[in-house]
Amino acid sequence: MNYSNLLKDDTLGCSLCDVELREFFSENSEALGCAAALIAGRRGARLVDAIREGLCQPGPLTRRMECLLLNLRGILFLDDIHRNPDGEFGYLTRLEPEDPAVAEICLLADGLDDALRAADIIPNLGESAA
């Protein structure tokens, strides 16, 4: 599937950091979708689909998009594994730590974290939250 339309020429009103976040997501969209589905099942897949759709919209990131991106970060970092409302964990319980998918998920999580920090959606390390 081609997600190149995530980066349109009509990003006017977007900060450079928002554009970098959109670029990261565009380049890693399919892998992020697979990772989210692997960890959180249908909920993860729906979340990534909603983010794809939202990032196709022109203009700056909305508060809703920021929340969706933070939810995806929580899934990739396993932050919400104990709070999953429907008890769905995808195939996470079948993964072994040595599985190559685990390393890929860690790289995706770190990349998303860096992109969110660059876009000032989460504070940079060493900064105190206001």
Side-chain angles (χ1 to χ4, degrees):
M1 194 173 260
N2 185 356
Y3 300 108
S4 61
N5 63 341
L6 292 176
L7 291 174
K8 296 180 179 178
D9 289 336
D10 54 0
T11 54
L12 296 174
C14 295
S15 72
L16 180 59
C17 295
D18 286 358
V19 172
E20 290 175 10
L21 176 63
R22 290 171 193 260
E23 186 175 295
F24 171 81
F25 201 91
S26 176
E27 291 172 358
N28 297 285
S29 177
E30 197 159 335
L32 288 165
C34 290
L38 185 66
I39 295 169
R42 290 182 305 240
R43 184 175 68 94
R46 286 191 304 264
L47 175 64
V48 172
D49 286 344
I51 293 170
R52 281 183 192 131
E53 186 176 309
L55 289 178
C56 288
Q57 304 304 314
L61 294 177
T62 63
R63 173 75 92 177
R64 177 180 181 273
M65 282 304 305
E66 289 180 6
C67 289
L68 292 175
L69 288 161
L70 290 173
N71 286 339
L72 177 58
R73 180 186 181 275
I75 287 172
L76 295 178
F77 277 98
L78 307 179
D79 289 344
D80 67 343
I81 212 70
H82 64 282
R83 295 182 302 223
N84 194 333
D86 47 1
E88 183 180 344
F89 300 111
Y91 295 100
L92 179 65
T93 57
R94 296 183 196 168
L95 280 179
E96 295 294 328
E98 310 83 37
D99 192 313
V102 173
E104 292 296 319
I105 291 169
C106 290
L107 290 172
L108 285 169
D110 288 343
L112 179 62
D113 191 63
D114 291 344
L116 292 172
R117 288 182 195 286
D120 289 328
I121 294 175
I122 56 176
N124 285 312
L125 298 174
E127 288 183 7
S128 59

